[in-house]
Amino acid sequence: MVSIKSKREIELMRKAGEINALAHKAIAEAIKPGVSTLELDLIAERVITSNGATPSFKGYQGYKHTICASINEVVIHGIPNRKHILKKGDIIAIDIGTCYKGYHGDSAMTHSVGEINEDKAKLLEVTERSLYEGLKYAKAGNHLSDISHAIEKFVKQYGYGIVQEFTGHGIGQSLHEEPSIPNYGKAGEGVILKEGMTLAIEPMINLGTAKVRILKDGWTVVTIDKKPSAHFEHTVVITKEGYEILTKLEEDDV
Ligand code: MF3
Ligand code: CO
């Protein structure tokens, strides 16, 4: 069952999403060569807790940190580590979740560290755009898989690998709720979108093969060909006209 959120619940998720966006902003400002992913984690934690919220990932299935920080060939779930130091030419995906008064916001973006090569720049551009290509179909009355299909169709033109083992998801009082939202598939199938559904859409796109594996730490997901990967995610609420992004700053509204 996909839950429908009330106005009040959406308001709380908007607040969670806004704090999450503040944490992203603070991290974006801190990213530079020489910074460790553990430092970035502490920055995000400080922003979230000082705004009266809690990090959604901390304690989730035993995860110990506020963010996932995934450098280059790490697709998702990179564990913050003081030995993981950013260097010029890296790309780093930052995934953050924030819980405010029992409601979650979840979003990810991939940053460049200094100047990056053309392959990586194109990968970032296409992955971010694919999120919005999918969201064009996020509208009451459409099928959920219309979003999935649009992401796949857009990404395929570039020959990139679309990660299949991990998906987007419903979100609300839990970080992960029904439905799961693959980044590929046929249009016109599955759940019909309704006003008040809250979804986290999150394409994970690889420069090379789609194939991934999990490192021995049990978390870190890497591409098997060691080529770079990018990840962008927003939490949205379905509306009559389309969708509203919840994981953004209020000042971005206009
Ligand atoms: N943000 C991830 C997602 O989008 C979840 C991270 S797993 C965690 O589903 F353990 F770090 F929380
Ligand atoms: Co997510």
Side-chain angles (χ1 to χ4, degrees):
M1 237 267 298
V2 182
S3 70
I4 304 292
K5 272 71 175 182
S6 69
K7 246 189 161 154
R8 176 192 151 266
E9 292 180 292
I10 292 163
E11 193 50 54
L12 293 173
M13 290 184 69
R14 200 177 276 120
K15 183 74 185 164
E18 198 188 327
I19 297 167
N20 211 54
L22 281 173
H24 270 293
K25 189 175 175 209
I27 285 191
E29 286 163 4
I31 283 177
K32 59 170 192 275
V35 171
S36 78
T37 57
L38 188 61
E39 288 173 78
L40 299 177
D41 187 71
L42 296 174
I43 288 169
E45 181 169 17
R46 205 178 312 125
V47 171
I48 291 168
T49 57
S50 70
N51 279 281
T54 53
S56 304
F57 300 173
K58 212 171 195 172
Y60 183 84
Q61 295 183 1
Y63 194 74
K64 292 189 171 56
H65 294 87
T66 295
I67 69 170
C68 299
S70 306
I71 301 172
N72 297 330
E73 75 279 7
V74 180
V75 180
I76 49 168
H77 301 168
I79 303 172
N81 187 318
R82 70 184 168 78
K83 290 180 192 154
H84 293 173
I85 312 275
L86 299 182
K87 55 184 196 313
K88 188 168 154 268
D90 285 342
I91 56 172
I92 178 169
I94 302 289
D95 192 348
I96 316 179
T98 293
C99 185
Y100 181 75
K101 295 195 175 159
Y103 287 85
H104 296 270
D106 181 10
S107 62
M109 62 182 77
T110 305
H111 302 269
S112 50
V113 183
E115 217 168 286
I116 55 173
N117 71 29
E118 247 175 68
D119 280 356
K120 283 178 170 172
K122 189 78 192 167
L123 176 68
L124 295 201
E125 185 197 318
V126 169
T127 305
E128 181 166 24
R129 267 196 66 191
S130 76
L131 169 58
Y132 294 95
E133 291 296 321
L135 283 173
K136 283 183 184 168
Y137 295 84
K139 183 181 171 173
N142 281 354
H143 282 87
L144 178 69
S145 75
D146 297 346
I147 300 175
S148 308
H149 180 72
I151 294 171
E152 177 180 29
K153 193 171 164 207
F154 179 72
V155 170
K156 266 197 166 164
Q157 306 172 71
Y158 300 90
Y160 294 151
I162 300 172
V163 175
Q164 302 214 347
E165 288 87 340
F166 299 89
T167 64
H169 49 93
I171 177 169
Q173 286 182 283
S174 303
L175 178 62
H176 293 140
E177 296 184 353
E178 279 181 49
S180 94
I181 310 171
N183 294 303
Y184 62 93
K186 268 202 236 155
E189 290 183 347
V191 171
I192 306 241
L193 299 175
K194 294 194 175 64
E195 248 185 289
M197 286 181 175
T198 45
L199 309 172
I201 314 291
E202 48 178 320
M204 290 151 268
I205 308 298
N206 301 344
L207 186 65
T209 177
K211 294 218 175 80
V212 298
R213 68 186 182 89
I214 301 178
L215 299 186
K216 286 200 195 81
D217 62 24
W219 283 103
T220 312
V221 178
V222 299
T223 58
I224 63 160
D225 60 7
K226 298 197 169 66
K227 289 188 181 170
S229 179
H231 181 206
F232 284 85
E233 174 180 29
H234 268 310
T235 298
V236 305
V237 57
I238 300 297
T239 64
K240 232 191 250 114
E241 305 79 38
Y243 64 92
E244 177 195 334
I245 294 179
L246 299 175
T247 36
K248 65 173 173 29
L249 298 173
E250 207 163 9
E251 67 202 37
D252 292 344
D253 271 355
V254 267

